[in-house]
Amino acid sequence: MVKHIILWTLKSELSESEKESVKAGIKEGLEALVGKVPGLVDVTVHIDGRLASSNADVMLDCTLESEEALNAYAVHPAHVEVANTRVRPYTAVRSCLDFELD
């Protein structure tokens, strides 16, 4: 199993209400990919409960069957559609950590 963790910081020019809408759209779009993308076991997008000490706005926590499944997920049309319409237009910073589970 492989974990795929992403942290995004939203663009600063977005209003607070725009940020809330964007975060909800990211969550809805990415969590809906389970069952559509082969090898994608679980997706949780964290958008609430952010503490003031945070320097990111959204966290994606995915579990995939393998590194090959992760590579296929990255280019899967359903994932690319969500990334291109709900994530990339609104994010300024992206950090990624991928690792194998013991």
Side-chain angles (χ1 to χ4, degrees), residues 11 13 19 26 34 42-43 60 70:
K11 291 182 177 179
E13 61 265 22
K19 286 181 180 182
I26 291 171
V34 176
D42 184 57
V43 176
L60 168 67
L70 173 62

Side-chain angles (χ1 to χ4, degrees), residues 5-81:
I5 309 293
I6 303 288
L7 296 175
W8 288 289
T9 303
L10 299 178
K11 291 182 177 179
S12 60
E13 61 265 22
L14 296 171
S15 70
E16 286 307 310
S17 64
E18 288 171 322
K19 286 181 180 182
E20 292 306 313
S21 176
V22 166
K23 290 191 292 185
I26 291 171
K27 181 175 179 67
E28 177 185 47
L30 291 173
E31 290 182 354
L33 295 176
V34 176
K36 294 180 182 176
V37 178
L40 182 60
V41 176
D42 184 57
V43 176
T44 303
V45 178
H46 300 275
I47 61 172
D48 296 318
R50 182 180 180 270
L51 300 178
S53 57
S54 300
N55 62 5
D57 298 302
V58 179
M59 178 183 158
L60 168 67
D61 181 355
C62 290
T63 306
L64 297 105
E65 292 175 353
S66 64
E67 187 173 359
E68 293 76 21
L70 173 62
N71 293 334
Y73 164 79
V75 297
H76 190 281
H79 171 255
V80 171
E81 173 69 18

